[in-house]
Amino acid sequence: MTAQLQFFMILGALVLLATIFALLKRGLMSVKYSLLWLALAVGLVIFAVFPYVVYVLRDLLDVEMPVNLVFLLMFCFVLVVLLSLSIAISQLAEKCKRLTQANAILEKRVRDLEEKR
């Protein structure tokens, strides 16, 4: 890895970290979802500062080329993000259903009370 590529990788990872912290500070991202992105940014910093880690992981996982390992890790990261977002959407859909049902029950109670008067 060239020094220039290593510099840009470190710079990109630090920009990602700064962006995540800025989004957290403004309240645009919750801590729950930022943990995955923080883990990615820390992983990118580690890979950029110590490129030898990629080669060690490549040997441990018996992957042919380091680039394939990076693509595999990014693919796994995307799958984890999609899974976490699917869980969040499912929970929000369930909450929306419960709120709609509770609202319908309250509306019925109000109509019943108005009819009694």
Side-chain angles (χ1 to χ4, degrees):
M1 176 184 307
T2 65
Q4 185 179 12
L5 176 62
Q6 190 173 11
F7 170 75
F8 282 118
M9 285 180 63
I10 293 170
L11 183 66
L14 292 177
V15 167
L16 180 62
L17 275 172
T19 303
I20 293 168
F21 285 126
L23 290 172
L24 282 171
K25 185 176 180 181
R26 292 184 193 143
L28 298 174
M29 181 185 281
S30 70
V31 174
K32 179 180 176 181
Y33 300 112
S34 68
L35 294 177
L36 284 172
W37 294 104
L38 288 171
L40 172 71
V42 168
L44 288 175
V45 168
I46 291 171
F47 286 164
V49 174
F50 307 109
Y52 186 71
V53 172
V54 176
Y55 293 105
V56 171
L57 285 174
R58 179 198 66 177
D59 293 339
L60 285 174
L61 297 174
D62 198 30
V63 177
E64 190 69 29
M65 296 182 69
V67 173
N68 293 342
L69 176 66
V70 172
F71 282 126
L72 175 68
L73 293 175
M74 288 301 135
F75 180 73
C76 291
F77 174 76
V78 169
L79 285 179
V80 169
V81 168
L82 286 173
L83 179 65
S84 70
L85 292 177
S86 296
I87 291 169
I89 289 172
S90 298
Q91 290 173 345
L92 288 174
E94 184 64 30
K95 284 181 184 179
C96 184
K97 182 176 116 181
R98 277 190 251 130
L99 283 172
T100 304
Q101 291 171 344
N103 189 30
I105 291 170
L106 289 173
E107 285 180 2
K108 184 178 182 328
R109 285 183 184 173
V110 168
R111 268 188 267 131
D112 290 345
L113 287 174
E114 287 176 348
E115 287 175 2
K116 285 182 182 179
R117 289 186 180 183

